[in-house]
């Protein structure tokens, strides 16, 4: 366990800077589980079909450093499950599962530039068996760090062979230590977080995240486009164990079914409120001791 933590710390230095005092990205989650519940309760865009959409995720980060202590391979597998219920003339109710294995190669070019190349293999289906189909994709992300180490820009490209067709998305990210108590970080369009420290064991802030995933559903695909805007509180039960609570609202949610290379049928799902609970083993780098 100590070796794993040492690897995570070293990888963080490669990505973020030369010392903890100037690193913008505030932490790495070595282990994480969370559950998000979105019942049919909403304040806007709630004039479509009654929808319940729930999500569970369990993930880990397993880094392996090279001998030069500058480059690394990072395994970050995760398991996910969606539970969907959409009321209609005939009710649509499904569970969809995913096993995803991103394997990242991190290369440090010099003191300011680095590149992250991530092939991704995933199996997304209603069940895992011999008929389950795999998806291949990946991402490339370049990073440039400012001279003081407090601001890092990221840019790249994500590609995935989704069941509805080839999905391509440009990436733009930032890691910014605005001041010793406030951080802004994330990679859009996937996620962006503004975090502020209230005291040593308590953080709060705002977050945006977006999902676009497709899953085999008999001879068709099930696609979810879920975007969430919320506020959160992180309570450090110990120095590394974090309890997270978050609440917010989905925006521009879409759930579709169809066949490959077709737009598919839009189920007209409601946008709803959501609540999220999580438990994390977190390695924090700008936290006061």
């Amino acid at each position: 366990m100590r070796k794993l933590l040492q690897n995570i710390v070293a990888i963080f230095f490669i990505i973020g800077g030369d010392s903890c005092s100037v690193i913008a990205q505030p932490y790495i989650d070595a282990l994480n589980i969370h559950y998000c519940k979105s019942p049919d309760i909403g304040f806007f865009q709630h004039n479509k079909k009654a929808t319940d959409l729930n999500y569970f995720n369990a993930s880990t980060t397993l880094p392996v450093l090279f001998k030069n202590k500058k480059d690394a391979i990072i395994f970050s597998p995760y398991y996910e499950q969606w539970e969907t219920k959409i009321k209609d003339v005939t009710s649509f109710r499904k569970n969809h599962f995913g096993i995803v294995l991103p394997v990242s190669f991190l290369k440090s070019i010099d003191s300011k530039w680095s590149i992250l190349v991530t092939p991704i293999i995933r199996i997304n289906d209603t069940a895992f068996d011999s008929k389950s189909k795999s998806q291949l994709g990946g991402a490339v992300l370049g990073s440039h760090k400012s001279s003081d180490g407090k601001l890092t820009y990221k840019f790249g490209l994500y590609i995935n062979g989704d069941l509805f067709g080839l999905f391509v998305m440009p990436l733009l990210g930032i890691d910014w230590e605005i001041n010793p108590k406030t951080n802004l970080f994330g990679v859009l369009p996937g996620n962006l977080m503004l975090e502020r420290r209230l005291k040593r064991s308590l953080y709060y802030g705002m977050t945006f995240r977006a999902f676009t995933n497709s899953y085999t559903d008999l001879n068709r695909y099930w696609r979810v486009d879920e975007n969430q805007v919320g506020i959160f509180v992180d309570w450090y039960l110990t120095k590394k164990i974090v309890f997270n609570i978050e609440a917010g609202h989905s925006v521009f949610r879409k759930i579709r079914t169809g066949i490959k290379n077709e737009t598919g049928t839009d189920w007209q799902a409601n946008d709803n409120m959501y609540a999220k609970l999580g438990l994390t083993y977190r390695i924090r780098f700008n936290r006061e001791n």
Side-chain angles (χ1 to χ4, degrees):
M1 187 65 179
R2 175 179 291 181
K3 182 66 174 177
L4 174 61
L5 296 181
Q6 289 173 345
N7 284 348
I8 292 175
V9 170
I11 287 171
F12 189 88
F13 287 152
I14 294 170
I15 297 172
D18 299 321
S19 68
C20 287
S21 62
V22 296
I23 291 176
Q25 183 177 328
Y27 57 73
I28 289 178
D29 289 342
L31 296 170
N32 175 267
I33 57 171
H34 67 261
Y35 178 73
C36 180
K37 185 171 184 61
S38 182
D40 189 47
I41 302 171
F43 294 116
F44 52 88
Q45 292 181 211
H46 195 70
N47 56 351
K48 299 180 181 179
K49 296 175 184 175
T51 304
D52 291 329
L53 185 64
N54 306 313
Y55 180 73
F56 172 80
N57 179 288
S59 63
T60 186
T61 300
L62 304 170
V64 179
L65 270 177
F66 290 178
K67 289 184 178 180
N68 62 11
K69 303 297 182 181
K70 294 182 179 180
D71 307 323
I73 294 177
I74 307 167
F75 299 91
S76 44
Y78 63 91
Y79 166 83
E80 63 180 1
Q81 178 179 342
W82 294 90
E83 181 185 6
T84 312
K85 183 179 179 181
I86 303 175
K87 295 181 181 179
D88 198 313
V89 177
T90 57
S91 187
F92 179 92
R93 185 168 188 167
K94 288 282 186 177
N95 287 325
H96 295 88
F97 307 90
I99 296 178
V100 187
L101 179 58
V103 181
S104 300
F105 173 61
L106 174 65
K107 175 65 177 177
S108 179
I109 299 172
D110 55 32
S111 61
K112 292 185 178 181
W113 286 94
S114 64
I115 187 169
L116 192 71
V117 180
T118 308
I120 303 171
I121 301 173
R122 67 177 75 224
I123 299 175
N124 289 352
D125 211 325
T126 54
F128 298 125
D129 53 34
S130 60
K131 297 180 181 179
S132 296
K133 296 180 180 179
S134 62
Q135 301 178 27
L136 298 178
V140 177
L141 194 66
S143 298
H144 180 264
K145 181 181 59 178
S146 64
S147 56
D148 64 2
K150 295 185 179 183
L151 178 61
T152 299
Y153 294 108
K154 302 180 180 183
F155 50 91
L157 189 69
Y158 171 81
I159 301 176
N160 192 64
D162 272 279
L163 299 169
F164 54 81
L166 188 65
F167 183 65
V168 181
M169 183 66 67
L171 304 174
L172 183 62
I174 189 171
D175 289 335
W176 182 19
E177 183 184 348
I178 300 172
N179 58 53
K181 291 186 176 183
T182 310
N183 293 280
L184 177 69
F185 55 96
V187 178
L188 292 171
N191 62 83
L192 186 66
M193 181 176 291
L194 178 65
E195 177 204 60
R196 183 168 176 80
R197 185 177 76 239
L198 185 62
K199 56 183 181 179
R200 289 183 61 189
S201 61
L202 199 63
Y203 289 72
Y204 68 96
M206 299 179 63
T207 183
F208 166 81
R209 70 175 61 87
F211 306 91
T212 296
N213 287 332
S214 62
Y215 300 78
T216 302
D217 198 324
L218 299 176
N219 296 321
R220 301 169 66 82
Y221 68 76
W222 179 84
R223 171 176 173 170
V224 56
D225 292 86
E226 171 74 346
N227 312 292
Q228 297 175 341
V229 178
I231 57 175
F232 70 89
V233 174
D234 285 341
W235 177 27
Y236 283 74
L237 305 177
T238 69
K239 189 174 181 179
K240 293 183 174 67
I241 298 176
V242 185
F243 175 71
N244 165 263
I245 184 168
E246 180 181 319
H249 208 288
S250 69
V251 291
F252 304 114
R253 170 185 288 168
K254 277 194 175 184
I255 297 175
R256 286 170 275 186
T257 55
I259 60 176
K260 192 170 184 177
N261 297 321
E262 289 190 4
T263 303
T265 301
D266 188 345
W267 282 80
Q268 299 292 310
N270 271 343
D271 274 305
N272 297 332
M273 296 183 64
Y274 74 89
K276 173 177 168 284
L277 296 176
L279 192 64
T280 301
Y281 188 87
R282 176 172 294 170
I283 313 300
R284 189 158 197 106
F285 298 91
N286 68 343
R287 185 166 180 261
E288 294 179 352
N289 294 319

